Each structure stands twice: as C-alpha cells, then as structure tokens.
Amino acid sequence: MDAAFHDPLVIALENEYLGLSTDLRIPGVMTRTSPDLLEWSEPFPLLRDTPPSVKRHVDTDRFWAPELVKRGDEWRLYCCASRFGTTQSVIGLAKSTDPKGPYTYAGDVVVSQHSSTFTQANAIDPCVVADRDGNDWLVYGSFFGGIRILRLNREGFPAEYHEGLCIAGGNHQAIEGGYVWYHAPSDRFILFTSWGDLNEDYHIRVGYSREVTGPYLDAKGLPMTDLDPIHHPGDKLSGGYHFAGMPGVKATGHNSLLHHRDGHVYLVNHARPEGKGGRPFLQIRRLLFLEDGRALAWPLCYDGEPLEATPQLPERWQVVYHSRLNNGVNYSIGVTAAQAQAERQGDCITMELFGIRWQGFVYRHSGRVACTLLSPEGESLWGIADDAPPEA
C-alpha cells in the first residue's frame, strides 16, 4: 500500500486494477497495475509520445492528474499538462480500445493561457461525469478561476466553446482536484474538492446538488462558490489525523472514486506521512452513506478484508475530530463510550461529543473496531477502539 502515488485514479478491470497518477519522473501518463490493490507494478506510460500541440503550449512531456473513462467500446484518456504555478495549461484527449493502450491522441479539449489577473479557468485536473440523460460533462480547474463544469459532445470534446460554469472556489482560492459523482440512491450529485497546501494541510470537502451543474451546497447550506474565508464551504470528509500508537498522516487529498469488484465504492486519495518531507502514498478507504446520502470516509485503509458487524461496542475509544476550523493534523483524544453517550443500532452508531450529536457507522475491520460519524454541520469524527491490538 506504500506505493508512491500522487493525484491517484484507480480503475477496476476484469482481472486487475489500473492505477494512474501524477509523477514527473517519467514521460507520458504514469500508470501501474495491481492484482489486489496492495501490490503495484513498476510504473509505465499510457501515452508514450507527447502530442506536438501539448509540447508547444507547455513545453513538457510530463502529465498530471489523468482521467480515464469508458464510453461504449472506447476508452477515453483525459490527460493534462501545465507550467507549474500558472494557468498555461492544457487538457487533451487520447482514445483506445484497450484500457492499457496503445492510445491515439484525438486532440486538445481545453487550453488555457496564463494571465496576471488569476481569474480565468486553469485547464488541469479533468474529471468526466454523466448526467441523468447520459450526457457527459467535464469537471476541471484549480486555483485561479475555480472548479468549472463544461458540457461535452458525444466524441468527448466541448459541446460549447467557453470556460464552463464555476461550481466551486474562484478568486485564487486554494482549491483543486474537483471530482463529481452521481449517487443514485439519494438522486444527488456529489462534488469532491481538495483544499490547502498539498504538502501540509491538504484535505477533502464535499458539496451536494440535485443537478450536475449545481449549485453544490454543504450541510450548512453554503454554496461551494462562497468566497468568504470565514465560511470555508464544504463538508469536511477527510484531513490530517494521528491516532495514538499509529503513524500520523497529513495532506489527505486529490481524490477519485474506485468502484470495486466487491460492489462497494472506495475513496482513493494520496497522503503524506506526518512531519517534514515524505513522499505521497496511496490511500484507499470505504465510502459509506447516511440515509440522506451524505458521505463518510472510513478511517482505516483497505487491506483486502471486509467491514464486519461487531458483536459489542468497545468501552474505550480514541477519536479524531475533523473540524472545519483545523485543517492540519488532528490528534486523537481518549473517551469512553459512557462519556460519549455512545449508542448502537445494528451497524449505526451515535455519539454526543464536543456539544455535537454525531451519527454514522461502526464495524470491525481486520480485528479492529472503528467508527466514522458525521455532524449535522458536516464535520467528521473518526474513532478506533482503544483496546484494539496495534496495527502491524
């Protein structure tokens, strides 16, 4: 699980998994394969030859944050390249009948120029989402002009020639990695976004909308386009954390979703070890949903074992509070089930902590009991039984 990944995307194929990521060490779109999501191959490029138009615009053969979707019998690889710290960027489209290629470049999709105003859209971090009618939309952007959404035609290129509608951020807010997914049970679209410094306080916030074009709102009713720095919109899904007796983790962000062959949906993101330096590594964690469709991230990483019902509720817990106001590493505190007024009904659990009534789920995972909960205002609480054996 300690493979070096940045801006990860993991696709489930018939007999293996394909992992795409940002890595500037090799040319092309960096890719790995895995039989089990635990052991990963050495990286290889999906797009071997840099298209001339990309080379001319950004003068690089290194690609960032790719997107890969299947439409009919065709695999579409959306790749992006940029001059770091600018909006001199491009998103291109390559196509293949095989997910591992070879890919043929079909053309530039969105091209952005740099400007000192820092207000225009930045052509990086592509994500493709289908609306209820099967029409594709391109979600892209970052700092500068925020996260945009742009309708695509049947060939995967823009159906309209403009930057698209801003659905989150803007005004040079520290936001990137937009990812939209339709959650059918709640009939809502979920927008995942990453905020902060990717080396320190990177974290994931989400908003929800009835329409793919928004507005995307958090639990407090704030739109993801709210620019008030005090409001800082978005439900806090994941951030830095440190449980007692376990290594600290910081900068959890730039996520995608994995639709696992086990039928569950997993949050895929990169993170860094707490402290100075440290290379980004891959995290894969179950995504769970309350009855109203709000998402919760499981605190423990995927290890091949399922989440199982726990016969009893542990008395002692270590809990991490992902506050909207603290985007750094959050340290666990010890509480008892009695102090937290913990109650369980089946797999569901409620707690009363910090003056907040939390609700979520409790399971046993590889011999360790853990829980994930959400507040009415969209903050997350993770817990691990204090009497569990130390993690190997």
Side-chain angles (χ1 to χ4, degrees), residues 102-122:
Y103 281 85
T104 300
Y105 195 69
D108 300 342
V109 177
V110 180
V111 177
S112 58
Q113 307 288 341
H114 184 59
S115 168
S116 59
T117 62
F118 302 114
T119 57
Q120 73 278 17
N122 190 15

Side-chain angles (χ1 to χ4, degrees), residues 107-327:
D108 300 342
V109 177
V110 180
V111 177
S112 58
Q113 307 288 341
H114 184 59
S115 168
S116 59
T117 62
F118 302 114
T119 57
Q120 73 278 17
N122 190 15
I124 64 169
D125 296 353
C127 165
V128 176
V129 57
D131 62 22
R132 296 183 186 89
D133 297 322
N135 301 307
D136 277 342
W137 296 77
L138 177 70
V139 179
Y140 77 100
S142 70
F143 290 65
F144 310 104
I147 306 299
R148 304 294 180 118
I149 189 165
L150 179 64
R151 189 164 62 90
L152 300 176
N153 62 27
R154 293 297 178 185
E155 296 302 313
F157 289 92
E160 302 165 345
Y161 290 93
H162 53 78
E163 291 184 326
L165 179 69
C166 182
I167 56 175
N171 196 31
H172 208 245
Q173 286 191 322
I175 184 175
E176 60 186 19
Y179 190 97
V180 173
W181 176 62
Y182 175 64
H183 182 241
S186 64
D187 191 28
R188 291 195 297 181
F189 294 89
I190 306 177
L191 168 63
F192 300 80
T193 53
S194 292
W195 298 74
D197 184 331
L198 61 86
N199 292 303
E200 295 296 336
D201 62 350
Y202 218 35
H203 62 282
I204 302 171
R205 293 176 182 255
V206 297
Y208 303 85
S209 176
R210 292 295 177 188
E211 302 299 330
V212 70
T213 52
Y216 287 89
L217 307 178
D218 66 13
K220 298 175 71 172
L222 295 171
M224 297 293 281
T225 51
D226 189 321
L227 300 180
D228 190 323
I230 297 177
H231 290 167
H232 201 163
D235 293 357
K236 188 78 168 289
L237 184 69
S238 178
Y241 58 96
H242 191 149
F243 286 101
M246 299 173 63
V249 176
K250 68 177 183 180
T252 63
H254 205 117
N255 77 280
S256 60
L257 298 184
L258 163 64
H259 299 272
H260 196 289
R261 292 195 294 265
D262 65 11
H264 297 300
V265 179
Y266 288 78
L267 184 75
V268 177
N269 62 267
H270 71 253
R272 296 176 187 272
E274 185 183 8
K276 294 297 182 182
R279 67 179 186 174
F281 59 89
L282 177 67
Q283 287 191 316
I284 300 176
R285 293 173 287 157
R286 267 284 296 275
L287 204 59
L288 301 165
F289 299 90
L290 298 176
E291 287 187 1
D292 61 5
R294 291 191 297 163
L296 305 91
W298 187 243
L300 301 178
C301 287
Y302 178 85
D303 62 0
E305 297 299 322
L307 305 188
E308 302 175 325
T310 178
Q312 61 185 14
L313 204 59
E315 174 57 24
R316 299 193 307 275
W317 290 89
Q318 290 286 333
V319 296
V320 165
Y321 174 20
H322 289 290
S323 166
R324 281 177 177 261
L325 303 178
N326 180 11
N327 296 323

